[in-house]
Amino acid sequence: MARLTVYTDRPLSTIEPEVYGHFSEHLGRCIYEGIYVGEDSHIPNVNGMRCDVVEALKHIRIPVLRWPGGCFADEYHWKDGIGPKQARKKMINTHWGGVVEDNSFGTHEFFELCRQLGCKTYVNGNVGSGTVQEMAEWVEYMTFDGVSPMADLRRKNGQERPWKVDYFGIGNENWGCGGNMLPQYYANEYRRYRTYVRDFQEGHRINRICGGANVADYEWTREVLDTCFRRTPPECHGKMDGLSLHYYVHPEGWEIKGSATEFDSEVYYKTLSKAYYMDELIAKHGAIMDEYDPDKKVGMIVDEWGTWFTVEPGTNPGFLYQQNTMRDAMVAGITLNIFNQHSDRVKMANLAQMVNVLQAVLLTDGEQMIKTPTYHVFDLYKHHQNGKLLDSQMDTPQIGQGEWQVPMVSHSVSRDSSGAVHLTAVNLSHQEGTALDIQLLGMDIRKARGQMLQGEMHQMNTFAQPDNVALEELTGLGVQGDTLHVTLPPCSVVHICVEG
Ligand code: AHR
């Protein structure tokens, strides 16, 4: 039995929509096949973008999309991906499978995709193998409205009006694939490169994202902030809007990783316990950020997160294609609740990756497309976007196997602009259901309804059985005074909407 107390008159921070963001890299079948099939494809498309994929992503209200990488970003030279397609340079995607990248999806195509999705744009620049000039010219090409060589080139390529770049990443994983730099060296590069990321548009600022740490590399966070804050005049502090953090869940460690679909109870709890580690990472990196930025002006940007398993048998190891089960739904549910609970600091997060790669929300095979359990979690949680996190207290038993213990129920609660309260809760036990009592202090409950995702821990959707795991109505919601009673089946994720 678990018990939750919600203080409906204690609103905390705003849950930025961007926390429900996605990431799409030139990796495997994410961009090509998964999103972009080209105008001549027999797969229904608008300007080359798959209609089924765009429609599914709009349904979960995708708020922002990060592109073109990832490790790919620090080898990407944007001028290769503009102009007539047949004349675009072909290159080798050295990071991901050594395949030929024909650059048919470039800057214009990215903005067209975001236009169709109605989402914000997050472009990741190249520090590792690019130059300051190259980055400055890209920003000019994308955002300048006047007469200039880059703005003229954009017009020549068919785009009269500049686009809006909402977020711009100064490199990616610069401690690793983005140049193997030391923190102080990178921080100096950040200061140099970001100087030339100009704001050309009145009333619109580009949010500059500084490359952050890998997992628990707290030294990186401290050194970078020290160089960018303590050793920088105060008037320049505002030039960093976000600091990134990357964390992937590998149940069996980086080398072995483990199967996406075959696992036992112990590995299941190990995976969930590793997902919970995100909470500690945010708290510890956040505490360092508080020292330099006590007013929390710099957002923590978790622009890569998710499960990373061994690739599906028979697929290219460089393509990172994996299936997605109810265990992934648990990881998504836990992680998104953690982000909501830390919404005072976490201002954006991007699931890795959107289609056909790692913990994807959509998988495609030719003209077929399926929604994964993770997709349905994003569907349940979309109601938190722009809500006010509410103060709450959960009393739940610990469950698990051996050393891998986790709280049985994970949750977060928010209030939307109409006053409705949204609760998302996950029962992590794959063996037992649990009763959950939810006391909503300060609210007269008029109406409560909910939806649920539930299944055996290995359950997944396949191209033969696309709706094996799907949302259903949550039945048996009881109301008594200011308290709701609900039963959460084993391995389930719920969204409950309460109106007063
Ligand atoms: O998402 C796959 C890869 O993981 C990204 O390219 C890189 O940034 C990270 O190591």
Side-chain angles (χ1 to χ4, degrees), residues 23 25 27 70-71 96 172-173 246 248 304 308 320 352-353 358:
F23 169 38
E25 182 168 8
L27 193 177
C71 294
W96 306 118
N172 167 73
E173 296 196 349
H246 288 183
Y248 287 98
E304 290 188 27
W308 188 327
L320 310 187
Q353 298 191 5
L358 301 177

Side-chain angles (χ1 to χ4, degrees), residues 137-430:
E137 286 185 342
W138 199 7
V139 173
E140 184 184 316
Y141 185 89
M142 292 185 285
T143 63
F144 190 58
D145 202 11
V147 177
S148 84
M150 290 304 116
D152 291 348
L153 182 59
R154 183 193 67 235
R155 288 187 199 101
K156 193 175 140 220
N157 287 331
Q159 179 67 26
E160 182 59 34
R161 306 283 303 149
W163 297 288
K164 274 214 165 82
V165 175
D166 296 296
Y167 299 90
F168 194 88
I170 315 286
N172 167 73
E173 296 196 349
N174 301 91
W175 37 262
C177 65
N180 280 302
M181 301 173 191
L182 294 173
Q184 216 190 80
Y185 179 84
Y186 167 72
N188 279 315
E189 289 295 84
Y190 172 77
R191 288 168 52 154
R192 187 163 77 105
Y193 275 72
R194 64 111 157 96
T195 308
Y196 303 95
V197 174
R198 307 268 188 216
D199 284 313
F200 291 115
Q201 292 162 342
E202 227 182 279
H204 180 77
R205 263 193 88 247
I206 298 174
N207 288 286
R208 294 154 181 83
I209 311 298
C210 177
N214 185 30
V215 197
D217 187 352
Y218 301 113
E219 192 196 333
W220 179 278
T221 299
R222 184 171 294 286
E223 284 285 323
V224 166
L225 290 178
D226 219 51
T227 305
C228 291
F229 280 76
R230 202 168 61 77
R231 300 194 192 110
T232 303
E235 62 273 20
C236 298
H237 287 183
K239 298 258 170 81
M240 185 193 292
D241 301 288
L243 179 65
S244 72
L245 169 67
H246 288 183
Y247 173 55
Y248 287 98
V249 172
H250 312 287
E252 303 291 5
W254 171 250
E255 291 300 330
I256 303 175
K257 298 191 178 70
S259 162
T261 53
E262 289 167 25
F263 49 88
D264 59 17
S265 177
E266 190 185 354
V267 173
Y268 171 83
Y269 286 116
K270 192 173 178 179
T271 310
L272 304 194
S273 149
K274 289 189 172 194
Y276 259 109
Y277 185 45
M278 181 68 91
D279 191 47
E280 180 179 328
L281 291 172
I282 294 173
K284 289 189 173 166
H285 285 291
I288 300 170
M289 291 176 80
D290 287 348
E291 289 176 34
Y292 296 88
D293 172 40
D295 298 333
K296 298 190 196 300
K297 288 186 179 150
V298 179
M300 189 184 291
I301 308 293
V302 191
D303 52 16
E304 290 188 27
W305 69 272
T307 54
W308 188 327
F309 301 121
T310 308
V311 298
E312 284 303 294
T315 64
N316 186 330
F319 281 13
L320 310 187
Y321 177 74
Q322 65 191 40
Q323 247 295 1
N324 196 291
T325 67
M326 279 304 294
R327 177 177 59 159
D328 293 84
M330 301 288 106
V331 171
I334 293 169
T335 309
L336 293 171
N337 281 334
I338 291 171
F339 292 155
N340 289 345
Q341 302 280 11
H342 286 282
S343 51
D344 59 334
R345 182 58 90 179
V346 177
K347 298 298 176 191
M348 173 159 55
N350 308 76
L351 178 73
Q353 298 191 5
M354 194 160 74
V355 192
N356 290 333
V357 171
L358 301 177
Q359 194 178 347
V361 288
L362 300 172
L363 301 177
T364 66
D365 182 10
E367 59 192 14
Q368 277 188 285
M369 181 204 76
I370 55 173
K371 297 168 178 169
T372 66
T374 300
Y375 175 92
H376 293 299
V377 175
F378 273 78
D379 198 6
L380 290 174
Y381 279 58
K382 68 187 176 192
H383 306 280
H384 286 303
Q385 291 191 27
N386 254 326
K388 280 272 177 210
L389 177 72
L390 292 178
D391 198 1
S392 61
Q393 187 70 44
M394 174 68 87
D395 184 9
T396 169
Q398 291 283 111
I399 54 158
Q401 201 155 322
E403 61 177 302
W404 307 108
Q405 298 291 316
V406 287
M408 184 174 194
V409 182
S410 144
H411 85 286
S412 61
V413 203
S414 67
R415 195 178 62 203
D416 70 22
S417 55
S418 77
V421 169
H422 297 276
L423 161 73
T424 47
V426 191
N427 176 8
L428 301 178
S429 170
H430 71 87

Side-chain angles (χ1 to χ4, degrees), residues 1-2 408-409 427 429-436 486-492:
M1 158 92 187
M408 184 174 194
V409 182
N427 176 8
S429 170
H430 71 87
Q431 294 126 320
E432 284 174 39
T434 182
L436 172 65
V486 63
T487 301
L488 306 179
C491 218
S492 63

Side-chain angles (χ1 to χ4, degrees), residues 457-476:
M457 65 178 173
H458 299 100
Q459 215 167 314
M460 60 186 157
N461 291 331
T462 62
F463 292 98
Q465 286 188 299
D467 295 316
N468 198 21
V469 180
L471 294 187
E472 48 190 288
E473 286 308 303
L474 180 65
T475 52

